[in-house]
Amino acid sequence: MRPITTQTLFSLQFSGDPQFSPDGQSIVYVKTTINQEENKYQSQICKYDRKTGRDIPFTQGLAQDKLPKFSQDGSYLAFVSTRSGTPQLFVMLTDGGEPKQLTFFKKGVKSYSWMPNNQLVVAARKDDANEKSDVRVVNTLRYRGNGYGFYGDEPIHLWLVQVDGSGPQQITDGNFDETDPTVSPDGKKIAFVSWREENQVEVTPSLYTVDLDTGLIDLTYQGKGSVSHPVYSPNGKWIAFFGHEHGEDSGYNTELWVVSTGSGEARSLSRSLDRPVGNQVGTDARYETAEVSPIWDMDSQKIYFTATHEGDVYVYSVTLDEKIQKETPGDTQVVTSFSYHSGVIAYAKETPASPAELYLQQNKEIQQITYHNTPLFKSLTVSVPERTKFQARDGLEINGWLLKPPGFSSDQRYPLVLEIHGGPHSSYGNTFLHEFQVLANSGYIVLYTNPRGSHGYGEAFVRGSIGDWGGKDYEDLIDAVDAVARLPYVDRNNLFVTGGSYGGYMTNWMVAHTHIFKAAVTQRSICNLHSMIGTSDIGFWFNVKELDGADIWEDEEFILSRSPIRYANRVQTPVKIIHSEEDFRCPMEQAEQWFTALKRLGVETELVRFPNENHDLSRNGQPEHRVERLDHIVGWFNQYLGNKE
Ligand SMILES: CSCC[C@H](NC(C)=O)C(=O)N[C@@H](C)C(=O)N[C@@H](CO)C(=O)O
């Protein structure tokens, strides 16, 4: 047996986005591996035959092939591939053969859906009419996005594409983006998400429908918050979608909604669950390629979806009269994507011991159908986390996990690393976390928790951090560390802390408010909530919402009172600062301010700048950069690891 190391990353395999064929006999899915020599990810489409159990590569996957979808008659398979340099739509016969490229948009395609008559509707950004200079003229607040870059002037529109390669024929126009197309069962209408108001500060998308005969666009549902992933019911009477009615606030549950295509009446079907739809559990051992939408059963009476509950992600179903049922049995599972066909569910499931593999479930019988990571993991010392709970000062129950070094002995004392997740409205959970396994295999106990502000414990819990960054969320964390540090096998003289984004904010806040840590690594972090409002791609609304309406003019004092930079002169803990140079979410200026302050104040600090990387370095950055990042984290802690008690 050998330890999990930073280099193990190169050998991990990530499966997801299962899609049933219309006859239910085949399942295609996306398998992503890392090409270490070329320092890149390769995603190929594989096909599992339920009769024979054969699992074969369906595309070469020399680039990234993703979003596979069967045509409604099952004769074609469409997918998006980057093999031509940008993400374009391809189609091939399901019997095999050469894929044909159907689109050639300069900025690629964003999403697509099949139409009934083997046509496709594509959401893609219109090509710039004429080559412009490289000078950017900006006149809207939403002019760039982390991981995407600068949006440019041309909006995203809908286009009709034929499988014979003719087209694309533009369907929508105007100075508005349209995304997430879904086609009515009769093929006469396309519903889509768009925001068509001029107001650029508080933007809440709505659901529209375009009539393909007349070209007329109707407002189907006036959004009052988030709206995404619309899907027509098979009888055409309903459109299901994910959303909420709380503006741009990310501190609420996104729910499963339906809107009647007849009356326009819209209602949430999942509110009684009090959990967010979709997967809110983060990990670095996942290569996300799927768009997880609601899935109707064939009689238009039930809808399948995933939701996050206390560190797990399950498949649920709900009827139009709001009867909710948990479909995947048990717990300790994170379902990242799924498909449904005639009572059978195919899903990609992560566990604390493995990145996602595919499973088939019928009548509660579960069959694992892929084992891509099994040969590797048979030779690795994988640590299995232990769930733990803490009582916050105000009585709130805080959930967490302890990951102990392989070969752990309760007679020894171990150094401990506190890992803090970002968001803050995300979650840790019962998934495989490579970074944590590396630390455990390096001899550290890893403590990771879901303090208030985390998703999966009800909306009141999520909103527990609103307007109070560095307040009770900090207390939840420091109390958890205090409780664990009292355990006989924890070396309380060797405590370490790290976290990213909001988790980096909290790392900065912690070292400015306590000296219990021997060293810290702050990643893609925030040190100044005031400057972030103007420099982050989301700061002008996210920061204001998260600080409960505080804004840079009226509330400067409050905003700076919750900014770690104000307390930099209290820091004594050595801090390594890891940041990506193209981070539009928490821009490099946050890291530079923090580094400059600590350096000027004589604190041991290092700023590690990753070129050509963005906010998602730890999740889908260049593989070699990800390994180097992990080496920096482990190396910094080892450097300050004092004599063990
Ligand atoms: C655009 S959604 C709202 C902001 C977003 N929140 C979540 C829950 O992701 C976000 O990017 N927040 C950052 C400040 C952050 O902490 N991001 C986390 C989670 O993605 C990270 O680990 O990078």
Side-chain angles (χ1 to χ4, degrees), residues 550-567:
D551 211 337
I552 46 180
W553 298 283
E554 304 81 5
D555 310 295
E556 178 180 312
E557 174 52 30
F558 171 70
I559 295 171
L560 286 173
S561 74
R562 298 302 177 112
S563 296
I565 194 74
R566 169 166 285 189
Y567 312 99

Side-chain angles (χ1 to χ4, degrees), residues 250 280 421-426 469 500-503 524 526 532 538 541-542 585-586 615-616 619:
S250 55
Q280 310 297 333
H421 72 66
H425 312 309
S426 69
W469 280 32
S501 203
Y502 162 85
R524 59 184 190 276
I526 300 163
M532 181 185 168
I538 61 169
W541 61 266
F542 174 75
R585 186 60 40 91
C586 302
H615 196 70
D616 297 318
R619 297 176 276 250

Side-chain angles (χ1 to χ4, degrees), residues 84 86-90 100-105 108-109 122 124 161 168:
S84 65
T86 53
Q88 301 294 344
L89 185 66
F90 286 73
K100 180 195 295 178
Q101 182 170 347
L102 297 183
T103 62
F104 299 84
F105 293 101
V109 303
V122 173
V161 176

Side-chain angles (χ1 to χ4, degrees), residues 549-623:
D551 211 337
I552 46 180
W553 298 283
E554 304 81 5
D555 310 295
E556 178 180 312
E557 174 52 30
F558 171 70
I559 295 171
L560 286 173
S561 74
R562 298 302 177 112
S563 296
I565 194 74
R566 169 166 285 189
Y567 312 99
N569 57 353
R570 301 180 186 177
V571 178
Q572 297 172 12
T573 307
V575 180
K576 176 165 284 208
I577 304 166
I578 293 177
H579 220 98
S580 297
E581 298 212 332
E582 293 176 15
D583 188 335
F584 283 1
R585 186 60 40 91
C586 302
M588 178 56 83
E589 59 95 12
Q590 294 287 321
E592 290 166 342
Q593 288 190 63
W594 194 233
F595 173 72
T596 301
L598 298 184
K599 205 68 185 169
R600 284 186 56 203
L601 293 160
V603 177
E604 288 179 66
T605 185
E606 241 178 41
L607 171 56
V608 183
R609 303 174 66 106
F610 280 85
N612 306 313
E613 295 289 358
N614 64 54
H615 196 70
D616 297 318
L617 162 65
S618 63
R619 297 176 276 250
N620 57 33
Q622 293 172 42

Side-chain angles (χ1 to χ4, degrees), residues 3-177:
I4 293 178
T5 68
T6 60
Q7 301 272 324
T8 306
L9 173 75
F10 294 123
S11 308
L12 298 181
Q13 301 197 37
F14 312 106
S15 297
D17 199 6
Q19 297 289 332
F20 273 109
S21 57
D23 65 7
Q25 292 313 306
S26 303
I27 297 162
V28 293
Y29 67 93
V30 179
K31 182 178 77 173
T32 300
T33 55
I34 291 175
N35 182 326
Q36 185 175 353
E37 291 68 41
E38 296 185 31
N39 189 30
K40 69 175 188 179
Y41 302 89
Q42 292 180 319
S43 300
Q44 74 181 142
I45 294 165
C46 300
K47 186 177 176 184
Y48 177 81
D49 184 307
R50 291 180 62 194
K51 280 204 185 85
T52 64
R54 287 186 68 217
D55 181 359
I56 57 171
F58 204 60
T59 68
Q60 272 194 305
L62 298 177
Q64 292 181 23
D65 300 340
K66 58 185 179 178
L67 298 178
K69 295 178 188 181
F70 285 98
S71 60
Q72 292 171 9
D73 65 5
S75 54
Y76 291 100
L77 183 78
F79 59 94
V80 172
S81 176
T82 61
R83 61 185 68 186
S84 65
T86 53
Q88 301 294 344
L89 185 66
F90 286 73
V91 71
M92 61 192 291
L93 290 168
T94 46
D95 296 339
E98 266 309 296
K100 180 195 295 178
Q101 182 170 347
L102 297 183
T103 62
F104 299 84
F105 293 101
K106 281 183 191 159
K107 294 194 173 176
V109 303
K110 192 171 182 314
S111 56
Y112 77 98
S113 284
W114 276 102
M115 313 264 300
N117 43 8
N118 280 342
Q119 294 183 89
L120 303 105
V121 55
V122 173
R125 198 173 292 279
K126 195 174 180 181
D127 292 345
D128 288 347
N130 45 42
E131 285 307 310
K132 294 178 178 162
S133 83
D134 58 0
V135 173
R136 291 189 181 95
V137 177
V138 177
N139 49 37
T140 172
L141 278 168
R142 284 165 179 73
Y143 65 97
R144 66 218 159 115
N146 180 70
Y148 185 89
F150 293 90
Y151 294 131
D153 303 330
E154 294 301 334
I156 298 171
H157 285 315
L158 302 183
W159 312 76
L160 218 49
V161 176
Q162 311 294 334
V163 290
D164 64 8
S166 59
Q169 176 198 341
Q170 188 168 346
I171 303 172
T172 55
D173 206 345
N175 194 25
F176 308 104
D177 285 340

